[in-house]
Amino acid sequence: MSSISFYPFYLIERFWSKVLICQHGMICKDCCWLWKGCTIRGYGMFRIPKPYRQGKSENERANRVCWRIIYGPISESLHVLHNCPPGDNPTCVNYWHLWTGTDLENKQVPYTKIGTHMGKATDFVNILRHMLAENGLLLRNSSLRIFCQYSKQR
């Protein structure tokens, strides 16, 4: 992990305020940490102030921002890909589940992950619902409570 962050502290704090982390905290390698902010096509999006933008757009995918917070700068030619234990989960920003890959790797990976296919949002929604149910994410009175898989074993 990088000891010097790519972003200022206030931006990092704002980023993590939009993430639902399991009860084990930042050390948990197994659970997906879900993005609570804005999403586009299933991917979390985060607004970057002008002085800290790496690309042209003011909005960046949350997984790329997470990568920069934890590991430092990344080449614009690389994708930040997901390797979540239950399968490909575009809303996950657990840095243990992220890795960098080329455009070719990005195009090959979706076909190897539990039935997700590029361009089929319904597949993603069904897989996400199943994953959330397995991981104990409950919707009660419009509030979210998450129970990690480890807490079920206790």
Side-chain angles (χ1 to χ4, degrees):
M1 285 191 232
S2 174
S3 59
I4 300 172
S5 179
F6 189 78
Y7 299 114
F9 182 74
Y10 82 91
L11 203 58
I12 295 169
E13 198 172 51
R14 187 167 64 89
F15 176 86
W16 289 116
S17 75
K18 298 177 181 296
V19 178
L20 186 62
I21 299 175
C22 75
Q23 68 184 24
H24 301 110
M26 304 281 284
I27 61 166
C28 186
K29 294 181 181 182
D30 297 319
C31 302
C32 287
W33 303 344
L34 304 179
W35 182 253
K36 299 184 297 184
C38 173
T39 59
I40 296 177
R41 292 188 208 127
Y43 288 91
M45 299 301 287
F46 187 71
R47 188 185 162 286
I48 304 292
K50 204 169 201 168
Y52 305 105
R53 292 181 196 155
Q54 204 172 25
K56 294 177 184 174
S57 176
E58 68 179 284
N59 293 312
E60 278 233 50
R61 283 191 174 172
N63 57 341
R64 285 187 77 82
V65 175
C66 181
W67 183 275
R68 286 194 197 106
I69 289 171
I70 301 299
Y71 301 109
I74 178 175
S75 167
E76 284 298 312
S77 65
L78 292 177
H79 296 271
V80 177
L81 308 172
H82 295 88
N83 191 22
C84 303
D88 196 29
N89 179 3
T91 61
C92 179
V93 291
N94 183 338
Y95 54 86
W96 296 102
H97 298 181
L98 302 177
W99 60 286
T100 57
T102 64
D103 192 47
L104 179 62
E105 289 171 311
N106 187 39
K107 289 176 182 172
Q108 291 173 340
V109 168
Y111 294 100
T112 64
K113 304 249 179 151
I114 55 170
T116 57
H117 303 286
M118 294 168 78
K120 289 193 175 179
T122 54
D123 287 349
F124 163 71
V125 170
N126 290 333
I127 288 166
L128 182 59
R129 283 183 186 146
H130 179 71
M131 188 197 72
L132 293 175
E134 280 184 348
N135 286 319
L137 184 65
L138 306 174
L139 292 171
R140 289 187 191 158
N141 302 328
S142 301
S143 64
L144 292 173
R145 289 177 55 205
I146 189 161
F147 301 96
C148 186
Q149 60 190 14
Y150 296 110
S151 61
K152 290 180 182 179
Q153 296 172 356
R154 291 182 183 164

